[in-house]
């Protein structure tokens, strides 16, 4: 996903403002003023303030999924390897995760993870919807369950200042999934 210059300016503006202000208190006018772009530029690129975060999260997930390590982990269907890469990658974005959590916006991250995870889960032969005899809705619940759990574990780990290593978190996550 390639962002336009205006999108980048607006995203950077919002992220900078979130360091000082609550999400709810920020107006589109304030965000565009900080970004030095016209208000109509905002609406050409985004539907809402939440959409800014959604697009930024999609770019992060895309960046994460395009790493060679993530591609290899997906091909090998290694939960441990994927978790290692996941925790390492998002540790570098901990300030953003904390801002989302402080503003009660983790659900946006969960939704975007669910969209990322669904095709990954479907690509595993033993977990395809047809092999499990699941409806589309049951698969959606399964994906939502995992995406939400993954996000909450990430948030708790980051809130705890990432005391456990990425390896320890990957091992723990691997254990949870096997239970």
């Amino acid at each position: 996903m390639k962002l336009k210059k205006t999108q980048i300016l607006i995203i950077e503006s919002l992220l900078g403002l979130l360091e000082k202000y609550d999400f709810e208190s920020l107006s589109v006018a304030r965000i565009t003023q900080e970004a030095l772009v016209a208000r109509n530029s905002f609406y050409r690129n985004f539907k809402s303030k939440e959409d800014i975060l959604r697009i930024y999260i999609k770019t992060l997930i895309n960046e994460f999924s395009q790493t060679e390590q993530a591609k290899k982990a997906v091909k090998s269907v290694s939960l441990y390897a994927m978790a290692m890469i996941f925790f390492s990658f998002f540790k570098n974005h901990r300030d953003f995760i904390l801002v989302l959590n402080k503003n009660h916006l983790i659900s946006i991250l969960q939704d975007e993870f669910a969209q990322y995870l669904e095709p990954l889960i479907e690509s595993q032969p033993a977990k395809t919807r047809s092999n499990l005899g699941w409806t589309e809705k049951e698969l959606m619940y399964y994906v939502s369950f995992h995406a939400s759990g993954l996000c909450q574990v990430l948030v708790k780990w980051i809130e705890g200042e990432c005391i456990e290593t990425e390896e320890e978190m990957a091992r723990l996550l691997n254990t949870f999934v096997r239970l």
Side-chain angles (χ1 to χ4, degrees), residues 1-12 35 37 40-46 51-52 55 59:
M1 166 185 257
K2 181 85 169 135
L3 296 175
K4 297 181 244 172
K5 184 178 179 182
T6 303
Q7 289 175 310
I8 293 168
L9 290 171
I10 293 170
I11 289 169
E12 288 174 350
V37 299
N40 62 353
S41 293
F42 176 89
Y43 290 107
R44 272 196 299 260
N45 291 283
F46 302 100
D51 197 37
I52 301 170
I55 288 173
T59 62

Side-chain angles (χ1 to χ4, degrees), residues 44-110:
R44 272 196 299 260
N45 291 283
F46 302 100
K47 297 174 192 156
S48 64
K49 294 185 306 183
E50 290 82 3
D51 197 37
I52 301 170
L53 294 173
R54 194 169 298 285
I55 288 173
Y56 179 65
I57 291 167
K58 283 180 184 179
T59 62
L60 288 179
I61 292 172
N62 188 50
E63 184 182 328
F64 160 73
S65 68
Q66 294 304 312
T67 64
E68 283 305 310
Q69 300 96 324
K71 288 178 184 178
K72 286 178 186 174
V74 168
K75 282 182 184 172
S76 69
V77 193
S78 169
L79 174 62
Y80 178 83
M82 195 64 150
M84 278 281 300
I85 298 157
F86 173 82
F87 286 109
S88 296
F89 180 85
F90 283 99
K91 183 178 183 179
N92 293 326
H93 298 281
R94 65 178 161 244
D95 291 340
F96 176 65
I97 302 297
L98 290 171
V99 162
L100 283 179
N101 194 47
K102 179 185 93 165
N103 286 281
H104 310 288
L105 298 166
I106 288 296
S107 62
I108 297 173
L109 183 65
Q110 292 169 340

Side-chain angles (χ1 to χ4, degrees), residues 115-142:
Q115 287 184 26
Y116 170 69
L117 288 176
E118 186 170 353
L120 287 181
I121 289 170
E122 272 284 316
S123 71
Q124 297 177 29
K127 299 237 171 137
T128 61
R129 188 169 59 87
S130 56
N131 284 347
L132 294 170
W134 287 356
T135 65
E136 191 70 34
K137 194 172 194 177
E138 289 168 329
L139 177 64
M140 181 221 23
Y141 287 140
Y142 180 80

